[in-house]
Amino acid sequence: MNADHHVILRVVSKGLIPIIILFAFYVQFHGDFGPGGGFQAGVIIAVAVILYALVFGVPAAMRAVPPAFTRSLAAIGVMIYAGVGFWAMLQGGNYLEYQALFHEPPGEHHGQHIGIMVIEIGVLFGVSGAMLTIFYAFAGRVAEIRDEDW
Amino acid sequence: MQGVLANDMGIALVNIFLLAILFVVAVAIARMRSLFAIVMLSGIYSLVSATWYVAVDAVDVAFTEAAVGAGMSTAVLLGAMLLTSRTAKPEHLFSRIGPMLVCVATGAALIYATVDLPALGDPNSAANTGVGYTYLEINWYDTGIPNVVTPVLASYRGFDTLGETTVVFTAGLAVALLLGFGERSLAEMIRREDKGGARTKGKGQVPTAAKDEEPS
């Protein structure tokens, strides 16, 4: 980048973005025990990429996380979620009946844990992909965020 | 008894303090003309309301509000603001009267509706006696997951959450189909950079493809 008076912003956000993404994964996989889950984690991941785009420019963010990837990610997320339903049906249960995933009697929780984990990953993919697609749709229309825009 | 009373007093003070901040921020948003300041203030509004949700023990809602309201929508609004002018146009006095009347009427209707609402945490309210209580009772046996919000969201109401995820996906798809994927400016810029070698791109040098698709 050119003559750069956002150097503090860049340095600080470079350190912060990995931590934000790490926190998103904590929120994702800790959703069973505390507040949080796929939706929140997906939004946090999307915000980390958007922060990168706001500080380093949209083209840099698009090169790191291409728009084709984000929109595929959104579709794949919904497919993962719906796929768990079909998995349960293949095991002989109803749609999205996690208890049927491993043919467990009521009171055993393996299927519930795995099922919820997988659909939360689907939600994570779907939400972060859709949010980034929306952001790119808006921000991709301007070539670069100029200094006067701050 | 004294302790309980003091505790209630403290919670009431916190509620009044947070709601007062919300009110002040809302009035400031309504009176302001600079769009950048409005976007920032709406982020602050979300953050304060998230704090208030924590105060009324709705931690998951607070988390979502903080992530979506304060993080995501602020960032998206900042991105959208780059496409338009920086300040809102001042309106005439007469054109403000209609919206004002709508606001006052809606506010009066909402305040009238709160008279019938059960008190916060009332054990006999509809939310706490029906299916919500059943979830709290049987959740541990059914799923073995400590945070009851997650099984309600993902297991008992799995169909709803599948619908929500699909809605989010559809929203992203609809925006992308209406506004484009935003790739054209990027493709142009990458081509230019690859052709021109390292770092010849100057400030304010807008690629032609991005200019072409500006709304007329």
Side-chain angles (χ1 to χ4, degrees), chain A residues 1-3 5 23 27 30-37 39-40 43-44 46-47 50-51 54 58-60 62-63 66-68 71 74-75 77-78 81-82 95-96 98-99 106-109 112-113 116 119-120 122-123 126-127 130-150, chain B residues 36 59-61 63-64 67-68 71-72 75-76 78-83 86 139-148 150-151 153-162 164-166 168-169 171-173 175-176 178-186 189-190 193-194 199 201-207 210 213-215:
Chain A
M1 293 286 152
N2 35 56
H5 46 264
F23 179 65
V27 170
H30 208 254
D32 291 1
F33 309 103
F39 193 83
Q40 289 90 338
V43 172
I44 292 172
V47 166
I50 291 174
L51 179 66
L54 287 177
V58 176
M62 279 188 177
R63 224 169 298 174
R71 53 180 190 257
V78 178
Y81 197 139
Y95 193 72
L96 285 176
Y98 309 132
Q99 208 69 37
E108 288 189 23
H109 305 137
Q112 294 279 348
H113 281 295
I116 288 178
I119 68 138
E120 293 277 16
V123 173
V127 168
M131 294 294 163
L132 282 175
T133 305
I134 292 176
F135 174 75
Y136 282 154
F138 278 106
R141 295 172 73 95
V142 282
E144 194 175 341
I145 299 172
R146 298 180 304 263
D147 281 348
E148 308 90 77
D149 290 331
W150 281 99
Chain B
F36 184 77
V59 190
D60 278 86
V61 183
F63 205 153
T64 315
V68 178
M72 185 70 209
V76 168
L78 275 181
M81 208 184 65
L82 297 172
L83 300 174
R86 301 289 170 271
N139 164 56
W140 183 253
Y141 174 73
D142 271 356
T143 64
I145 289 174
N147 179 13
V148 70
T150 301
L153 202 87
S155 189
Y156 295 117
R157 303 279 173 92
F159 278 43
D160 288 5
T161 310
L162 175 61
E164 276 169 28
T165 313
T166 316
V168 170
F169 170 68
L173 192 67
V175 169
L178 283 173
L179 296 183
F181 292 107
E183 276 170 323
R184 219 178 296 170
S185 60
L186 170 80
M189 186 164 288
I190 288 178
E193 258 180 28
D194 289 348
R199 302 287 167 215
K201 176 175 53 119
K203 179 160 74 171
Q205 183 184 351
V206 183
E213 59 177 343
E214 266 179 21

Side-chain angles (χ1 to χ4, degrees), chain A:
Chain A
M1 293 286 152
N2 35 56
D4 181 13
H5 46 264
H6 295 313
V7 60
I8 295 178
L9 203 59
R10 291 181 204 283
V11 170
V12 169
S13 57
K14 213 170 219 173
L16 269 182
I17 287 168
I19 298 175
I20 293 175
I21 291 181
L22 196 64
F23 179 65
F25 283 120
Y26 167 76
V27 170
Q28 165 80 23
F29 295 110
H30 208 254
D32 291 1
F33 309 103
F39 193 83
Q40 289 90 338
V43 172
I44 292 172
I45 283 189
V47 166
V49 178
I50 291 174
L51 179 66
Y52 186 77
L54 287 177
V55 174
F56 293 91
V58 176
M62 279 188 177
R63 224 169 298 174
V65 187
F69 175 70
T70 63
R71 53 180 190 257
S72 330
L73 195 68
I76 288 171
V78 178
M79 274 166 64
I80 289 176
Y81 197 139
V84 174
F86 289 116
W87 178 19
M89 281 174 88
L90 282 180
Q91 299 295 327
N94 291 322
Y95 193 72
L96 285 176
E97 186 187 356
Y98 309 132
Q99 208 69 37
L101 290 182
F102 300 106
H103 303 289
E104 283 170 320
E108 288 189 23
H109 305 137
H110 200 53
Q112 294 279 348
H113 281 295
I114 298 289
I116 288 178
M117 191 70 82
V118 175
I119 68 138
E120 293 277 16
I121 286 173
V123 173
L124 171 84
F125 285 1
V127 168
S128 58
M131 294 294 163
L132 282 175
T133 305
I134 292 176
F135 174 75
Y136 282 154
F138 278 106
R141 295 172 73 95
V142 282
E144 194 175 341
I145 299 172
R146 298 180 304 263
D147 281 348
E148 308 90 77
D149 290 331
W150 281 99

